[in-house]
PDB file of all heavy atoms in Angstrom:
ATOM      1  N   VAL A   3     241.383 183.037 142.601  1.00 61.00           N
ATOM      2  CA  VAL A   3     240.118 183.504 142.078  1.00 61.00           C
ATOM      3  C   VAL A   3     240.084 185.051 142.048  1.00 61.00           C
ATOM      4  O   VAL A   3     239.595 185.682 141.116  1.00 61.00           O
ATOM      5  CB  VAL A   3     238.904 182.989 142.935  1.00 61.00           C
ATOM      6  CG1 VAL A   3     237.619 183.565 142.518  1.00 61.00           C
ATOM      7  CG2 VAL A   3     238.974 181.402 142.816  1.00 61.00           C
ATOM      8  N   LEU A   4     240.638 185.642 143.138  1.00 54.00           N
ATOM      9  CA  LEU A   4     240.721 187.060 143.201  1.00 54.00           C
ATOM     10  C   LEU A   4     241.586 187.638 142.010  1.00 54.00           C
ATOM     11  O   LEU A   4     241.191 188.644 141.319  1.00 54.00           O
ATOM     12  CB  LEU A   4     241.246 187.522 144.527  1.00 54.00           C
ATOM     13  CG  LEU A   4     241.380 189.064 144.695  1.00 54.00           C
ATOM     14  CD1 LEU A   4     240.012 189.739 144.636  1.00 54.00           C
ATOM     15  CD2 LEU A   4     242.079 189.347 146.052  1.00 54.00           C
ATOM     16  N   LEU A   5     242.736 187.139 141.830  1.00 53.00           N
ATOM     17  CA  LEU A   5     243.639 187.628 140.774  1.00 53.00           C
ATOM     18  C   LEU A   5     242.921 187.325 139.430  1.00 53.00           C
ATOM     19  O   LEU A   5     243.085 188.267 138.497  1.00 53.00           O
ATOM     20  CB  LEU A   5     244.949 186.851 140.861  1.00 53.00           C
ATOM     21  CG  LEU A   5     245.875 187.261 142.024  1.00 53.00           C
ATOM     22  CD1 LEU A   5     247.155 186.273 142.042  1.00 53.00           C
ATOM     23  CD2 LEU A   5     246.236 188.716 141.948  1.00 53.00           C
ATOM     24  N   LEU A   6     242.282 186.235 139.157  1.00 53.00           N
ATOM     25  CA  LEU A   6     241.633 185.962 137.980  1.00 53.00           C
ATOM     26  C   LEU A   6     240.553 186.964 137.618  1.00 53.00           C
ATOM     27  O   LEU A   6     240.331 187.495 136.617  1.00 53.00           O
ATOM     28  CB  LEU A   6     241.074 184.519 137.888  1.00 53.00           C
ATOM     29  CG  LEU A   6     240.398 184.159 136.624  1.00 53.00           C
ATOM     30  CD1 LEU A   6     241.352 184.190 135.406  1.00 53.00           C
ATOM     31  CD2 LEU A   6     239.822 182.706 136.747  1.00 53.00           C
ATOM     32  N   GLY A   7     239.834 187.274 138.759  1.00 58.00           N
ATOM     33  CA  GLY A   7     238.692 188.256 138.645  1.00 58.00           C
ATOM     34  C   GLY A   7     239.286 189.719 138.312  1.00 58.00           C
ATOM     35  O   GLY A   7     238.674 190.366 137.505  1.00 58.00           O
ATOM     36  N   LEU A   8     240.236 190.084 138.980  1.00 54.00           N
ATOM     37  CA  LEU A   8     240.902 191.321 138.623  1.00 54.00           C
ATOM     38  C   LEU A   8     241.443 191.404 137.225  1.00 54.00           C
ATOM     39  O   LEU A   8     241.303 192.396 136.504  1.00 54.00           O
ATOM     40  CB  LEU A   8     242.097 191.620 139.621  1.00 54.00           C
ATOM     41  CG  LEU A   8     241.621 191.983 141.018  1.00 54.00           C
ATOM     42  CD1 LEU A   8     242.882 192.106 141.861  1.00 54.00           C
ATOM     43  CD2 LEU A   8     240.848 193.160 141.039  1.00 54.00           C
ATOM     44  N   LEU A   9     242.060 190.354 136.714  1.00 51.00           N
ATOM     45  CA  LEU A   9     242.597 190.268 135.413  1.00 51.00           C
ATOM     46  C   LEU A   9     241.468 190.387 134.369  1.00 51.00           C
ATOM     47  O   LEU A   9     241.514 191.109 133.443  1.00 51.00           O
ATOM     48  CB  LEU A   9     243.386 188.949 135.177  1.00 51.00           C
ATOM     49  CG  LEU A   9     243.962 188.832 133.793  1.00 51.00           C
ATOM     50  CD1 LEU A   9     245.006 189.871 133.432  1.00 51.00           C
ATOM     51  CD2 LEU A   9     244.587 187.436 133.596  1.00 51.00           C
ATOM     52  N   LEU A  10     240.334 189.642 134.608  1.00 50.00           N
ATOM     53  CA  LEU A  10     239.277 189.620 133.704  1.00 50.00           C
ATOM     54  C   LEU A  10     238.524 190.939 133.640  1.00 50.00           C
ATOM     55  O   LEU A  10     238.078 191.484 132.641  1.00 50.00           O
ATOM     56  CB  LEU A  10     238.302 188.529 134.006  1.00 50.00           C
ATOM     57  CG  LEU A  10     238.725 187.079 133.732  1.00 50.00           C
ATOM     58  CD1 LEU A  10     237.668 186.091 134.169  1.00 50.00           C
ATOM     59  CD2 LEU A  10     238.959 186.955 132.221  1.00 50.00           C
ATOM     60  N   SER A  11     238.446 191.638 134.804  1.00 53.00           N
ATOM     61  CA  SER A  11     237.773 192.901 134.849  1.00 53.00           C
ATOM     62  C   SER A  11     238.578 193.964 134.170  1.00 53.00           C
ATOM     63  O   SER A  11     238.117 194.893 133.578  1.00 53.00           O
ATOM     64  CB  SER A  11     237.472 193.363 136.297  1.00 53.00           C
ATOM     65  OG  SER A  11     238.696 193.548 137.040  1.00 53.00           O
ATOM     66  N   ALA A  12     239.929 193.858 134.251  1.00 51.00           N
ATOM     67  CA  ALA A  12     240.829 194.825 133.601  1.00 51.00           C
ATOM     68  C   ALA A  12     240.710 194.658 132.041  1.00 51.00           C
ATOM     69  O   ALA A  12     240.748 195.651 131.305  1.00 51.00           O
ATOM     70  CB  ALA A  12     242.262 194.652 134.048  1.00 51.00           C
ATOM     71  N   VAL A  13     240.593 193.421 131.580  1.00 47.00           N
ATOM     72  CA  VAL A  13     240.435 193.187 130.136  1.00 47.00           C
ATOM     73  C   VAL A  13     239.126 193.619 129.601  1.00 47.00           C
ATOM     74  O   VAL A  13     238.973 194.067 128.530  1.00 47.00           O
ATOM     75  CB  VAL A  13     240.809 191.630 129.886  1.00 47.00           C
ATOM     76  CG1 VAL A  13     240.478 191.330 128.397  1.00 47.00           C
ATOM     77  CG2 VAL A  13     242.190 191.260 130.233  1.00 47.00           C
ATOM     78  N   ALA A  14     238.064 193.397 130.401  1.00 47.00           N
ATOM     79  CA  ALA A  14     236.699 193.725 130.013  1.00 47.00           C
ATOM     80  C   ALA A  14     236.388 195.201 130.049  1.00 47.00           C
ATOM     81  O   ALA A  14     235.403 195.586 129.364  1.00 47.00           O
ATOM     82  CB  ALA A  14     235.773 192.986 130.929  1.00 47.00           C
ATOM     83  N   GLN A  15     237.176 195.973 130.686  1.00 46.00           N
ATOM     84  CA  GLN A  15     236.822 197.410 130.711  1.00 46.00           C
ATOM     85  C   GLN A  15     237.139 198.034 129.328  1.00 46.00           C
ATOM     86  O   GLN A  15     238.008 197.788 128.616  1.00 46.00           O
ATOM     87  CB  GLN A  15     237.786 198.148 131.740  1.00 46.00           C
ATOM     88  CG  GLN A  15     237.568 197.728 133.202  1.00 46.00           C
ATOM     89  CD  GLN A  15     236.174 198.194 133.641  1.00 46.00           C
ATOM     90  OE1 GLN A  15     235.707 199.241 133.369  1.00 46.00           O
ATOM     91  NE2 GLN A  15     235.552 197.357 134.509  1.00 46.00           N
ATOM     92  N   PRO A  16     236.279 199.058 128.928  1.00 49.00           N
ATOM     93  CA  PRO A  16     236.414 199.719 127.733  1.00 49.00           C
ATOM     94  C   PRO A  16     237.733 200.646 127.823  1.00 49.00           C
ATOM     95  O   PRO A  16     238.083 201.007 128.977  1.00 49.00           O
ATOM     96  CB  PRO A  16     235.208 200.525 127.583  1.00 49.00           C
ATOM     97  CG  PRO A  16     234.782 200.787 128.913  1.00 49.00           C
ATOM     98  CD  PRO A  16     235.067 199.523 129.752  1.00 49.00           C
ATOM     99  N   CYS A  17     238.218 200.943 126.744  1.00 50.00           N
ATOM    100  CA  CYS A  17     239.432 201.719 126.676  1.00 50.00           C
ATOM    101  C   CYS A  17     239.112 203.150 127.129  1.00 50.00           C
ATOM    102  O   CYS A  17     238.236 203.855 126.372  1.00 50.00           O
ATOM    103  CB  CYS A  17     240.025 201.754 125.236  1.00 50.00           C
ATOM    104  SG  CYS A  17     241.448 202.798 125.159  1.00 50.00           S
ATOM    105  N   PHE A  18     239.658 203.804 128.081  1.00 48.00           N
ATOM    106  CA  PHE A  18     239.320 205.120 128.600  1.00 48.00           C
ATOM    107  C   PHE A  18     240.065 206.219 127.682  1.00 48.00           C
ATOM    108  O   PHE A  18     239.671 207.288 127.623  1.00 48.00           O
ATOM    109  CB  PHE A  18     239.589 205.325 130.025  1.00 48.00           C
ATOM    110  CG  PHE A  18     238.613 204.471 130.803  1.00 48.00           C
ATOM    111  CD1 PHE A  18     239.157 203.366 131.618  1.00 48.00           C
ATOM    112  CD2 PHE A  18     237.297 204.721 130.875  1.00 48.00           C
ATOM    113  CE1 PHE A  18     238.255 202.650 132.363  1.00 48.00           C
ATOM    114  CE2 PHE A  18     236.402 204.006 131.653  1.00 48.00           C
ATOM    115  CZ  PHE A  18     236.915 202.948 132.307  1.00 48.00           C
ATOM    116  N   ALA A  19     241.203 205.887 127.176  1.00 57.00           N
ATOM    117  CA  ALA A  19     241.974 206.854 126.403  1.00 57.00           C
ATOM    118  C   ALA A  19     241.950 206.476 124.941  1.00 57.00           C
ATOM    119  O   ALA A  19     242.455 205.319 124.604  1.00 57.00           O
ATOM    120  CB  ALA A  19     243.402 206.837 126.974  1.00 57.00           C
ATOM    121  N   GLN A  20     241.434 207.302 124.119  1.00 67.00           N
ATOM    122  CA  GLN A  20     241.304 207.094 122.661  1.00 67.00           C
ATOM    123  C   GLN A  20     242.599 207.570 121.992  1.00 67.00           C
ATOM    124  O   GLN A  20     243.000 208.718 122.292  1.00 67.00           O
ATOM    125  CB  GLN A  20     240.101 207.712 122.113  1.00 67.00           C
ATOM    126  CG  GLN A  20     239.983 207.527 120.639  1.00 67.00           C
ATOM    127  CD  GLN A  20     239.672 206.179 120.197  1.00 67.00           C
ATOM    128  OE1 GLN A  20     238.801 205.550 120.702  1.00 67.00           O
ATOM    129  NE2 GLN A  20     240.409 205.673 119.275  1.00 67.00           N
ATOM    130  N   LYS A  21     243.214 206.702 121.286  1.00 81.00           N
ATOM    131  CA  LYS A  21     244.529 207.150 120.617  1.00 81.00           C
ATOM    132  C   LYS A  21     244.169 207.842 119.256  1.00 81.00           C
ATOM    133  O   LYS A  21     243.272 207.368 118.494  1.00 81.00           O
ATOM    134  CB  LYS A  21     245.499 206.030 120.436  1.00 81.00           C
ATOM    135  CG  LYS A  21     245.994 205.522 121.766  1.00 81.00           C
ATOM    136  CD  LYS A  21     246.960 204.397 121.482  1.00 81.00           C
ATOM    137  CE  LYS A  21     247.545 203.798 122.770  1.00 81.00           C
ATOM    138  NZ  LYS A  21     248.525 202.788 122.528  1.00 81.00           N
ATOM    139  N   PHE A  22     244.888 208.959 118.931  1.00 89.00           N
ATOM    140  CA  PHE A  22     244.689 209.579 117.679  1.00 89.00           C
ATOM    141  C   PHE A  22     245.894 209.318 116.784  1.00 89.00           C
ATOM    142  O   PHE A  22     246.983 209.428 117.232  1.00 89.00           O
ATOM    143  CB  PHE A  22     244.574 211.109 117.858  1.00 89.00           C
ATOM    144  CG  PHE A  22     243.354 211.494 118.729  1.00 89.00           C
ATOM    145  CD1 PHE A  22     243.475 211.960 119.914  1.00 89.00           C
ATOM    146  CD2 PHE A  22     242.119 211.260 118.129  1.00 89.00           C
ATOM    147  CE1 PHE A  22     242.382 212.333 120.670  1.00 89.00           C
ATOM    148  CE2 PHE A  22     240.990 211.693 118.924  1.00 89.00           C
ATOM    149  CZ  PHE A  22     241.152 212.198 120.182  1.00 89.00           C
ATOM    150  N   LEU A  23     245.698 208.918 115.620  1.00 93.00           N
ATOM    151  CA  LEU A  23     246.824 208.708 114.601  1.00 93.00           C
ATOM    152  C   LEU A  23     247.185 210.044 114.006  1.00 93.00           C
ATOM    153  O   LEU A  23     246.294 210.905 113.836  1.00 93.00           O
ATOM    154  CB  LEU A  23     246.430 207.655 113.565  1.00 93.00           C
ATOM    155  CG  LEU A  23     245.938 206.313 114.061  1.00 93.00           C
ATOM    156  CD1 LEU A  23     245.484 205.376 112.910  1.00 93.00           C
ATOM    157  CD2 LEU A  23     247.040 205.537 114.819  1.00 93.00           C
ATOM    158  N   SER A  24     248.417 210.092 113.477  1.00 94.00           N
ATOM    159  CA  SER A  24     248.813 211.339 112.847  1.00 94.00           C
ATOM    160  C   SER A  24     248.614 211.255 111.299  1.00 94.00           C
ATOM    161  O   SER A  24     248.744 212.284 110.622  1.00 94.00           O
ATOM    162  CB  SER A  24     250.318 211.578 113.146  1.00 94.00           C
ATOM    163  OG  SER A  24     251.072 210.527 112.781  1.00 94.00           O
ATOM    164  N   PHE A  25     248.368 210.044 110.786  1.00 93.00           N
ATOM    165  CA  PHE A  25     248.074 209.813 109.408  1.00 93.00           C
ATOM    166  C   PHE A  25     247.085 208.756 109.203  1.00 93.00           C
ATOM    167  O   PHE A  25     246.890 207.812 110.076  1.00 93.00           O
ATOM    168  CB  PHE A  25     249.366 209.544 108.556  1.00 93.00           C
ATOM    169  CG  PHE A  25     250.074 208.296 109.165  1.00 93.00           C
ATOM    170  CD1 PHE A  25     249.756 207.052 108.597  1.00 93.00           C
ATOM    171  CD2 PHE A  25     251.036 208.404 110.159  1.00 93.00           C
ATOM    172  CE1 PHE A  25     250.390 205.884 109.062  1.00 93.00           C
ATOM    173  CE2 PHE A  25     251.649 207.309 110.602  1.00 93.00           C
ATOM    174  CZ  PHE A  25     251.344 206.090 110.100  1.00 93.00           C
ATOM    175  N   GLU A  26     246.358 208.831 108.021  1.00 93.00           N
ATOM    176  CA  GLU A  26     245.394 207.768 107.795  1.00 93.00           C
ATOM    177  C   GLU A  26     246.027 206.369 107.363  1.00 93.00           C
ATOM    178  O   GLU A  26     246.823 206.512 106.532  1.00 93.00           O
ATOM    179  CB  GLU A  26     244.412 208.230 106.701  1.00 93.00           C
ATOM    180  CG  GLU A  26     243.243 207.342 106.431  1.00 93.00           C
ATOM    181  CD  GLU A  26     242.255 207.942 105.313  1.00 93.00           C
ATOM    182  OE1 GLU A  26     242.363 209.173 105.045  1.00 93.00           O
ATOM    183  OE2 GLU A  26     241.599 207.061 104.738  1.00 93.00           O
ATOM    184  N   PRO A  27     245.705 205.266 107.914  1.00 93.00           N
ATOM    185  CA  PRO A  27     246.305 204.051 107.528  1.00 93.00           C
ATOM    186  C   PRO A  27     245.911 203.684 106.067  1.00 93.00           C
ATOM    187  O   PRO A  27     244.876 203.881 105.593  1.00 93.00           O
ATOM    188  CB  PRO A  27     245.745 203.027 108.502  1.00 93.00           C
ATOM    189  CG  PRO A  27     244.590 203.670 109.146  1.00 93.00           C
ATOM    190  CD  PRO A  27     244.670 205.113 109.029  1.00 93.00           C
ATOM    191  N   LEU A  28     246.928 202.986 105.445  1.00 92.00           N
ATOM    192  CA  LEU A  28     246.576 202.554 104.071  1.00 92.00           C
ATOM    193  C   LEU A  28     245.583 201.415 104.024  1.00 92.00           C
ATOM    194  O   LEU A  28     244.789 201.393 103.156  1.00 92.00           O
ATOM    195  CB  LEU A  28     247.918 202.087 103.402  1.00 92.00           C
ATOM    196  CG  LEU A  28     248.989 203.229 103.117  1.00 92.00           C
ATOM    197  CD1 LEU A  28     250.244 202.560 102.601  1.00 92.00           C
ATOM    198  CD2 LEU A  28     248.460 204.234 102.185  1.00 92.00           C
ATOM    199  N   MET A  29     245.756 200.526 104.976  1.00 91.00           N
ATOM    200  CA  MET A  29     244.870 199.329 105.009  1.00 91.00           C
ATOM    201  C   MET A  29     244.093 199.397 106.355  1.00 91.00           C
ATOM    202  O   MET A  29     244.636 199.670 107.338  1.00 91.00           O
ATOM    203  CB  MET A  29     245.703 198.015 104.778  1.00 91.00           C
ATOM    204  CG  MET A  29     246.253 197.877 103.509  1.00 91.00           C
ATOM    205  SD  MET A  29     247.230 196.388 103.384  1.00 91.00           S
ATOM    206  CE  MET A  29     246.025 195.177 103.609  1.00 91.00           C
ATOM    207  N   MET A  30     242.788 199.050 106.270  1.00 91.00           N
ATOM    208  CA  MET A  30     241.899 199.000 107.407  1.00 91.00           C
ATOM    209  C   MET A  30     241.003 197.832 107.323  1.00 91.00           C
ATOM    210  O   MET A  30     240.646 197.388 106.212  1.00 91.00           O
ATOM    211  CB  MET A  30     241.094 200.272 107.621  1.00 91.00           C
ATOM    212  CG  MET A  30     241.792 201.525 108.027  1.00 91.00           C
ATOM    213  SD  MET A  30     240.696 202.824 108.104  1.00 91.00           S
ATOM    214  CE  MET A  30     239.595 202.363 109.377  1.00 91.00           C
ATOM    215  N   ASP A  31     240.614 197.252 108.462  1.00 92.00           N
ATOM    216  CA  ASP A  31     239.626 196.179 108.463  1.00 92.00           C
ATOM    217  C   ASP A  31     238.256 196.867 108.066  1.00 92.00           C
ATOM    218  O   ASP A  31     237.997 198.059 108.508  1.00 92.00           O
ATOM    219  CB  ASP A  31     239.510 195.542 109.884  1.00 92.00           C
ATOM    220  CG  ASP A  31     240.723 194.721 110.193  1.00 92.00           C
ATOM    221  OD1 ASP A  31     241.375 194.326 109.216  1.00 92.00           O
ATOM    222  OD2 ASP A  31     241.067 194.585 111.327  1.00 92.00           O
ATOM    223  N   PRO A  32     237.403 196.067 107.462  1.00 92.00           N
ATOM    224  CA  PRO A  32     236.069 196.609 107.165  1.00 92.00           C
ATOM    225  C   PRO A  32     235.316 196.925 108.509  1.00 92.00           C
ATOM    226  O   PRO A  32     235.382 196.193 109.463  1.00 92.00           O
ATOM    227  CB  PRO A  32     235.396 195.470 106.581  1.00 92.00           C
ATOM    228  CG  PRO A  32     236.336 194.571 105.965  1.00 92.00           C
ATOM    229  CD  PRO A  32     237.645 194.782 106.898  1.00 92.00           C
ATOM    230  N   TYR A  33     234.721 198.122 108.542  1.00 91.00           N
ATOM    231  CA  TYR A  33     233.844 198.571 109.658  1.00 91.00           C
ATOM    232  C   TYR A  33     234.770 198.982 110.893  1.00 91.00           C
ATOM    233  O   TYR A  33     234.253 199.351 111.809  1.00 91.00           O
ATOM    234  CB  TYR A  33     232.807 197.681 109.979  1.00 91.00           C
ATOM    235  CG  TYR A  33     231.911 197.149 108.950  1.00 91.00           C
ATOM    236  CD1 TYR A  33     232.095 195.857 108.427  1.00 91.00           C
ATOM    237  CD2 TYR A  33     231.099 198.016 108.299  1.00 91.00           C
ATOM    238  CE1 TYR A  33     231.270 195.452 107.314  1.00 91.00           C
ATOM    239  CE2 TYR A  33     230.341 197.623 107.246  1.00 91.00           C
ATOM    240  CZ  TYR A  33     230.491 196.307 106.714  1.00 91.00           C
ATOM    241  OH  TYR A  33     229.710 195.937 105.667  1.00 91.00           O
ATOM    242  N   ALA A  34     236.119 198.966 110.740  1.00 93.00           N
ATOM    243  CA  ALA A  34     236.932 199.458 111.797  1.00 93.00           C
ATOM    244  C   ALA A  34     236.897 201.044 111.801  1.00 93.00           C
ATOM    245  O   ALA A  34     236.733 201.698 110.745  1.00 93.00           O
ATOM    246  CB  ALA A  34     238.358 199.027 111.635  1.00 93.00           C
ATOM    247  N   THR A  35     237.103 201.611 112.947  1.00 94.00           N
ATOM    248  CA  THR A  35     237.106 203.078 113.086  1.00 94.00           C
ATOM    249  C   THR A  35     238.446 203.558 113.724  1.00 94.00           C
ATOM    250  O   THR A  35     238.837 203.058 114.682  1.00 94.00           O
ATOM    251  CB  THR A  35     235.875 203.543 113.963  1.00 94.00           C
ATOM    252  OG1 THR A  35     234.667 203.102 113.373  1.00 94.00           O
ATOM    253  CG2 THR A  35     235.894 205.103 114.053  1.00 94.00           C
ATOM    254  N   VAL A  36     239.037 204.593 113.059  1.00 94.00           N
ATOM    255  CA  VAL A  36     240.115 205.191 113.587  1.00 94.00           C
ATOM    256  C   VAL A  36     239.990 206.722 113.626  1.00 94.00           C
ATOM    257  O   VAL A  36     239.186 207.229 112.794  1.00 94.00           O
ATOM    258  CB  VAL A  36     241.412 204.872 112.821  1.00 94.00           C
ATOM    259  CG1 VAL A  36     241.790 203.403 112.897  1.00 94.00           C
ATOM    260  CG2 VAL A  36     241.397 205.238 111.374  1.00 94.00           C
ATOM    261  N   PHE A  37     240.671 207.423 114.490  1.00 95.00           N
ATOM    262  CA  PHE A  37     240.627 208.846 114.591  1.00 95.00           C
ATOM    263  C   PHE A  37     241.983 209.439 114.115  1.00 95.00           C
ATOM    264  O   PHE A  37     242.985 208.927 114.748  1.00 95.00           O
ATOM    265  CB  PHE A  37     240.199 209.293 115.925  1.00 95.00           C
ATOM    266  CG  PHE A  37     238.837 208.814 116.347  1.00 95.00           C
ATOM    267  CD1 PHE A  37     238.638 207.703 117.034  1.00 95.00           C
ATOM    268  CD2 PHE A  37     237.682 209.575 115.897  1.00 95.00           C
ATOM    269  CE1 PHE A  37     237.298 207.245 117.278  1.00 95.00           C
ATOM    270  CE2 PHE A  37     236.445 209.108 116.218  1.00 95.00           C
ATOM    271  CZ  PHE A  37     236.197 207.929 116.863  1.00 95.00           C
TER     272      PHE A  37
END
Side-chain angles (χ1 to χ4, degrees):
V3 174
L4 178 63
L5 290 175
L6 180 61
L8 289 173
L9 179 65
L10 289 176
S11 66
V13 173
Q15 293 293 324
C17 181
F18 291 114
Q20 179 68 47
K21 293 184 179 180
F22 298 110
L23 302 176
S24 58
F25 58 89
E26 185 178 339
L28 293 176
M29 296 178 58
M30 288 180 62
D31 291 332
Y33 308 109
T35 301
V36 296
F37 295 95

